[in-house]
Amino acid sequence: MLAISRALRQRLVSAMEEGLDLAEPPDPQLTAASKPEFGDFQANGAMGLARQLQQAPRQIAQTIVDHLDLADLCEPPRIAGPGFINLTLKPEVIARAIAERVGDPRLGVAEAPVRQRVVVDFSSPNIAKEMHVGHLRSTIIGDCLARLLAFRGHDVLRLNHVGDWGTQFGMLITQLKQVAPQALDAADAVDLGDLVAFYRQAKQRFDEDETFRTQSREEVVKLQRGDPFSRRAWALLCSQSRQEFQRIYDRLGVGIEERGESFYNARLTGVVEALDSAGLLVTDDGARCVFPDGSSDKRKQGSALPPVIVQKRDGGFNYAATDLAAIRYRLAGADGGEGDAAERVIYVTDAGQASHFEAVFQVARRAGWITPGQSLEHVPFGLVQGADGRKLKTRAGDTVRLRDLLDQAVQRARADLERRLADEGRQEDEAFIAHVAETVGMAAVKYADLSQNRITDYQFSFDRMLALQGNTAPYLLYAYVRIQGIARRGGALTATAPDPIRLGAAEAFSLARQLLHFDEVLVELERELLPNRLCTYLFELSQTFNRFYDRVPVLKAEEPDRSSRLALCRLSADTLKLGLELLGIGTLDRM
RNA sequence: GCUCCCUUAGCUCAGCCGGAUAGAGCAACUGCCUUCUAAGCAGUCGGUCGUUGGUUCGAAUCCAACAGGGAGCGCCA
């Protein structure tokens, strides 16, 4: 519908220029109609011009309509309320637009006019720690955004900024040397669960034991100097964690390239030098930092941001230095030198890091690393909460491991399915049950997350996400399954659509109109990066389809209605499948 | 103390550049399986959009203040 909407807008602009005496180029404020009874589009531009033109808004609307030539696209425009211009597309225009989309692999969604190099930084678990629910949102949202951007034709680099460096390795290696030296010797001697336990012990000893503390610090220094034994131990730890992470990514169907913090080690001194020569660096209490807003004073009252500490008093670097090095590397390279040459860099992290990103982005800007045409965006998301409205925890009070959470979702999906099979007296083999349970479980977890507005906290509930009715993955999957059911019973979804497509039944016409909005939703998603908008669309599409399915016969209809309706079914299935795919969710033919 | 985010139906949430009578889902209640169809469809019930001001043709949406909830705030990430 974007093409049609652009054409309408252009004609409204012309009509306003012809009919009205305006100083500036007019904005017709063309949007989708707020209610179906208002038609397909509404133009709200007349009302805002009332004061400027010293005319009643309805009269302005009338003048616009008098100069408007839309006869080839729309029914005669209607003026309503205080001065809305309501536009209803002619059925044949909708039918033609549908015919163009059926069978098109992109379903009428154009590629972005300008292809960008985009870095999506997401997931980012820490080595020697389990992935937990906190990583879930970043992973799911980041994957979805990366898929969408790639579909729109952008060159997407998915980066996993794993926590693979820092003082914690000193503790961990020291602890393992003393308690489980075999872990540092051979691959697979310990699994991630053991590492987590060792990490916990190490942390405790670090806090209590002076000798251990000293040993750990020495170990960090050795590691940083590149001592072969320490490096090998470190590499082994990383590899153990990496295997575990990969199991989760494989299960979620998420592709991501690891480029951890250690990647930037060699570039940290360069960051300090660059900031220094840009005149941004101030030494304060022995630490080298950049103060916000160009102020070199200590934090003033009312200054929103604390200073960004780039190099600690002891000469060591911290995460801000690493993040700055990463920004610099990602934005550099357009000249053929080192770097990713990204034009858009997207960070999918929790909302609590907003001020950190605001600060480092500001430093990057003032350092001149961001050239025109490049942007850095923090894409924040809220906490995952339990049913009690507090941060999600196990009954014992521990953080919930991601693998356990996924297992439980699949297990519940399976129990649901088996109960249903028993109720309906259906027989299915184990492979079918396992596949459906896995698909539904993953879909439910992902969809529940993506369908919430990203920015607000999100209440996690297996019961709600696995519910068969409402705005849930199972509901959408079922709508898709129903279409596949038609296909199985003899409705060739691949047959060519008749020309013209007939949209006689009211439910068929509504479905057609809804299908045409897909491209607008994706373009908006690319700009706003809010996956819940796509979820809402797919849910409403499923509802509209179910209404159609309930009331309009397809296979039993006479030609040419039969093949017209089959074409609608096909486009509905393809739209649901592609939409879900962009969310990272797989479909089923039967469930 | 300072900064940011949030507050919409009993519950979970949408609400796009300010636009028409504020929308879903769940829960509750009422109907609909001789049909390609019930993991579905139709309907009923449910609102001080946290409060008070302001901006304007028009505010859930923008601004200010206040209340409540959450997060962050110099050498952890």
Side-chain angles (χ1 to χ4, degrees):
Chain A
M1 207 85 109
L2 277 171
I4 294 173
S5 138
R6 264 195 295 271
L8 292 177
R9 194 192 131 85
Q10 192 46 54
R11 297 209 204 167
L12 280 159
V13 168
S14 304
M16 291 169 89
E17 281 170 344
E18 283 171 31
L20 304 171
D21 185 24
L22 295 166
E24 292 176 5
D27 178 7
Q29 295 187 36
L30 182 72
T31 61
S34 57
K35 289 184 175 185
E37 58 262 38
F38 299 147
D40 294 292
F41 295 96
Q42 62 185 52
N44 304 337
M47 290 171 288
L49 294 170
R51 169 174 292 203
Q52 184 191 334
L53 295 174
Q54 297 286 313
Q55 287 180 50
R58 281 189 73 105
Q59 190 189 332
I60 296 169
Q62 187 59 54
T63 308
I64 296 172
V65 168
D66 289 344
H67 288 81
L68 199 53
D69 178 20
L70 298 171
D72 54 326
L73 296 173
C74 296
E75 308 290 354
R78 290 192 315 263
I79 297 167
F84 298 99
I85 301 171
N86 289 339
L87 302 174
T88 303
L89 293 174
K90 290 187 162 177
E92 57 264 35
V93 172
I94 292 188
R96 205 182 317 132
I98 290 285
E100 282 165 15
R101 280 159 183 72
V102 177
D104 171 12
R106 297 192 59 87
L107 306 181
V109 182
E111 296 207 348
V114 179
R115 180 187 169 92
Q116 284 187 312
R117 171 86 164 156
V118 186
V119 167
V120 184
D121 176 319
F122 68 102
S123 197
S124 308
N126 292 315
I127 296 293
K129 291 189 188 170
E130 297 268 6
M131 285 181 82
H132 56 81
V133 285
H135 301 112
L136 181 66
R137 296 206 84 180
S138 178
T139 305
I140 290 173
I141 294 168
D143 178 55
C144 168
L145 297 179
R147 284 169 185 265
L148 182 273
L149 291 163
F151 179 72
R152 284 281 289 161
H154 298 296
D155 178 15
V156 178
L157 180 59
R158 301 153 159 259
L159 288 182
N160 202 359
H161 193 74
V162 301
D164 66 354
W165 201 251
T167 47
Q168 74 269 24
F169 285 97
M171 294 190 274
L172 190 57
I173 293 172
T174 307
Q175 173 74 359
L176 288 172
K177 266 184 178 173
Q178 295 174 9
V179 181
Q182 74 281 5
L184 301 176
D185 241 15
D188 300 323
V190 290
D191 71 22
L192 185 63
D194 299 332
L195 284 186
V196 171
F198 286 127
Y199 183 85
R200 218 174 272 146
Q201 293 162 12
K203 181 100 173 57
Q204 194 178 348
R205 287 184 68 187
F206 188 86
D207 292 340
E208 292 168 358
D209 181 346
E210 176 64 41
T211 317
F212 186 83
R213 204 150 44 221
T214 311
Q215 289 168 330
S216 296
R217 291 204 177 107
E218 285 164 2
E219 188 56 55
V220 173
V221 174
K222 279 162 93 178
L223 181 61
Q224 286 175 344
R225 269 206 314 255
D227 172 81
F229 180 86
S230 300
R231 289 296 289 215
R232 202 171 69 240
W234 171 77
L236 217 56
L237 294 175
C238 291
S239 132
Q240 286 302 104
S241 290
R242 193 171 294 132
Q243 286 174 36
E244 184 70 18
F245 297 158
Q246 196 54 48
R247 272 194 280 277
I248 302 241
Y249 293 133
D250 288 347
R251 194 163 185 198
L252 288 170
V254 169
I256 190 165
E257 187 175 317
E258 182 179 321
R259 194 198 278 167
E261 294 172 346
S262 61
F263 177 85
Y264 303 100
N265 285 346
R267 297 169 176 87
L268 296 175
T269 50
V271 165
V272 175
E273 285 162 15
L275 294 177
D276 200 14
S277 55
L280 296 174
L281 223 48
V282 173
T283 303
D284 192 87
D285 282 346
R288 313 197 74 187
C289 35
V290 181
F291 283 86
D293 301 322
S295 160
S296 61
D297 297 331
K298 286 206 178 188
R299 179 135 69 122
K300 299 174 294 191
Q301 265 194 338
S303 172
L305 296 169
V308 174
I309 293 178
V310 181
Q311 192 166 21
K312 298 189 284 185
R313 194 171 22 210
D314 66 5
F317 297 101
N318 62 2
Y319 65 101
T322 308
D323 282 349
L324 285 167
I327 289 171
R328 193 177 182 216
Y329 187 88
R330 290 165 184 183
L331 294 178
D335 54 2
E338 182 186 80
D340 295 317
E343 289 155 288
R344 188 177 188 186
V345 186
I346 290 170
Y347 291 83
V348 186
T349 78
D350 70 276
Q353 296 187 49
S355 54
H356 165 65
F357 280 111
E358 194 187 336
V360 293
F361 290 173
Q362 190 196 100
V363 171
R365 189 164 50 249
R366 285 162 59 201
W369 298 342
I370 309 176
T371 62
Q374 289 184 312
S375 67
L376 299 171
E377 286 165 75
H378 179 219
V379 174
F381 55 82
L383 285 174
V384 181
Q385 299 177 330
D388 56 0
R390 307 184 70 87
K391 199 172 166 185
L392 190 67
K393 294 268 163 92
T394 61
R395 281 201 198 89
D398 301 321
T399 53
V400 178
R401 298 196 305 174
L402 195 42
R403 46 190 284 202
D404 294 339
L405 184 145
L406 297 177
D407 283 343
Q408 205 181 341
V410 171
Q411 192 188 314
R412 285 176 183 243
R414 187 187 181 102
D416 237 31
L417 175 63
E418 286 174 341
R419 197 178 316 120
R420 190 171 315 283
L421 292 177
D423 286 352
E424 295 173 5
R426 268 169 71 190
Q427 292 292 320
E428 299 288 355
D429 60 26
E430 167 58 25
F432 174 86
I433 294 173
H435 180 239
V436 171
E438 180 74 18
T439 306
V440 170
M442 291 303 125
V445 168
K446 288 187 176 187
Y447 189 82
D449 199 320
L450 293 167
S451 62
Q452 298 282 309
N453 184 315
R454 208 188 62 217
I455 296 152
T456 49
D457 291 344
Y458 142 61
Q459 204 174 77
F460 190 94
S461 160
F462 283 117
D463 289 335
R464 271 204 296 275
M465 69 177 66
L466 286 161
L468 311 166
Q469 52 281 118
N471 188 6
T472 65
Y475 179 88
L476 302 201
L477 291 175
Y478 183 62
Y480 181 82
V481 160
R482 287 181 126 180
I483 305 174
Q484 298 311 310
I486 292 179
R488 270 196 307 280
R489 291 184 186 267
L493 293 183
T494 51
T496 46
D499 185 23
I501 283 187
R502 282 167 57 101
L503 299 169
E507 290 81 2
F509 192 58
S510 304
L511 180 57
R513 283 164 75 175
Q514 182 115 29
L515 284 166
L516 294 180
H517 286 296
F518 188 53
D519 59 349
E520 296 158 36
V521 173
L522 294 193
V523 168
E524 186 196 310
L525 177 54
E526 181 184 341
R527 199 182 59 241
E528 310 270 351
L529 307 179
L530 290 171
N532 67 301
R533 299 273 167 80
L534 176 55
C535 293
T536 301
Y537 172 77
L538 293 174
F539 173 57
E540 287 173 353
L541 177 62
S542 301
Q543 282 184 311
T544 309
F545 175 79
N546 275 330
R547 225 166 282 144
F548 164 81
Y549 189 75
D550 192 53
R551 297 196 202 158
V552 182
V554 176
L555 295 178
K556 293 187 174 174
E558 300 288 324
E559 289 296 354
D561 281 328
R562 187 177 189 272
S563 41
S564 292
R565 290 171 187 173
L566 276 171
L568 279 182
C569 286
R570 179 181 184 187
L571 187 55
S572 299
D574 290 349
T575 304
L576 283 173
K577 190 181 177 73
L578 176 55
L580 286 168
E581 194 176 297
L582 294 176
L583 296 174
I585 295 172
T587 49
L588 294 162
D589 287 351
R590 294 196 306 127
M591 63 191 280

